[in-house]
Amino acid sequence: VFSSVTSVLNMSVFKDQFVLEDLIQELKKKSTALSFGPLQSNGHISVQGSFPAIKLLRDFLLVKAKSLSEKDKREESKSHQRPRRGLQQHRLTAEMSNFVHDADGEKQVVVLDTDIYHYMKYFFPRTFLVNDDVTILDITDGDITTVYIENAGSKSDAEQVLRVKEKIENQSLKLHNALCKERIYFGEQTGDEKQRYKWACESLKPHYSHVLIIPYDTHIDVIGNSSEIFEFTKEVSN
């Protein structure tokens, strides 16, 4: 679980509608937990901070892009023509279109660190517990798990969908500040030796009630607070 990540934003897609320096100042005020680098001449700027904070910044920019997209559509309906825009902006609009539908309440999307997602599913399953009017679909792609929350009832209940999203996000933020991960590599060990490692993990687990063990073919991931997983991996090695 990474305590800090870095992302490069391409702000040039906003240059026709905003003074980029003013927009960056707005982002800094809204995202005080993030560290911003200098704005480059090509419109790129690096941002560093926690994964949830980066994700919230992304959501804000997508909503910003949504407002521009709606403005373009209104202008197009008036003049029946629109100047060509760069491929990057079209991509942003295409990516944002799914989020825009979400923002109206019928569907919400939460992007989680996969390790945190596994920990939540195991130790906090009630976070994902919903009634028949709401459905949850999760798709894992490497280090990222995307959770889709959608209204499935006959009545539209945007508030209920939003409550589920906020519950997942709040739990994720708490865990993000508390969890660490250790990885036990098998290396060139034989099948019997790998099995002994897995057996050692399972036998120790009752003594470490807040540690999550995820076995893979090449390694074992141990997720929990730093002191517990340090002691756990030490005992497994012994």
Side-chain angles (χ1 to χ4, degrees), residues 1-5 49-52 112-120 143 172-183 212 214 221-226 229:
V1 179
F2 296 102
S3 60
S4 180
V5 293
S50 69
F51 179 83
L112 301 172
D113 179 287
T114 296
D115 292 325
I116 290 179
Y117 170 74
H118 286 315
Y119 197 92
M120 288 171 65
D143 294 333
S172 170
L173 283 169
K174 291 177 184 178
L175 294 176
H176 184 274
N177 296 325
L179 295 181
C180 295
K181 178 172 74 174
E182 288 286 345
R183 180 164 287 179
L212 177 64
I214 307 178
D221 281 344
V222 183
I223 303 171
N225 70 56
S226 58
I229 63 173

Side-chain angles (χ1 to χ4, degrees), residues 11-12 14-29 36-45:
M11 303 300 293
S12 63
F14 295 105
K15 66 182 180 181
D16 292 337
Q17 290 83 9
F18 297 101
V19 176
L20 292 187
E21 289 77 6
D22 293 343
L23 182 56
I24 296 300
Q25 289 302 318
E26 182 183 358
L27 297 182
K28 289 181 179 180
K29 290 179 181 179
F36 290 79
L39 180 64
Q40 305 296 322
S41 58
N42 59 0
H44 289 192
I45 185 171

